[in-house]
Amino acid sequence: MMNATTSKDESPRPDRVLGSVPELALRNVSKRFGAIVALDEVALEVNRGEVLALLGDNGAGKSTLIKCISGVYHIDSGSMELCGKPIQIHSPADARRAGIETVYQDLALFDNLSPSANFYAGRELASPSWLPRGMRFLRSREMDDATRNLLKQLRVVLPNFGSLVGLMSGGQRQA
């Protein structure tokens, strides 16, 4: 069971800019699986540029919390805010549209594909839209450019962008 609630009378964090709005905020989020309480009124704020680690024993609720944020599970109560605005995430697609992505510890990558092909696996950009999905032409250049831009934003450097993922180091594959 996870409860990351902080006391209301704690002084503000010194590194927090006064009046800034958290990038992601969870307010009293709870998740149950039948009689099992997996998350119990979790409160959490993540600010722009902040790195947050979730630590805890097996069964503490870390993965459940991530899956609620990423839309795999629906929260039973509480709320989520993105940049100060309430957001409801009902599916992983909703999370992606909101800019929330998840990098899992167990890498599920296609070793015989490029980083771009892995990034877009199952959601490839293709046209024309009037053709059945399997007959559309992949917009490879657009997918490559978008992947390069995202990697640049995340400050991920790959020595050879066109390499197959299976030929990359473990750290490069994770990135």
Side-chain angles (χ1 to χ4, degrees), residues 117-130:
N118 268 279
F119 186 78
Y120 280 96
R123 54 190 186 117
E124 293 84 357
L125 302 179
S127 57
S129 59
W130 53 267

Side-chain angles (χ1 to χ4, degrees), residues 55-133:
L55 303 173
D57 294 333
N58 288 340
K62 302 176 301 292
S63 295
T64 300
L65 181 65
I66 296 301
K67 288 178 180 179
C68 286
I69 294 169
S70 65
V72 175
Y73 297 149
H74 303 298
I75 62 174
D76 295 326
S77 63
S79 63
M80 289 196 297
E81 297 173 4
L82 203 56
C83 300
K85 296 179 180 146
I87 184 170
Q88 293 195 6
I89 298 175
H90 299 289
S91 69
D94 286 347
R96 278 193 300 273
R97 279 190 289 276
I100 298 171
E101 292 280 352
T102 305
V103 177
Y104 290 97
Q105 181 176 328
D106 301 327
L107 299 179
L109 297 172
F110 298 103
D111 287 342
N112 60 330
L113 297 178
S114 69
S116 180
N118 268 279
F119 186 78
Y120 280 96
R123 54 190 186 117
E124 293 84 357
L125 302 179
S127 57
S129 59
W130 53 267
L131 280 174
R133 183 117 177 105

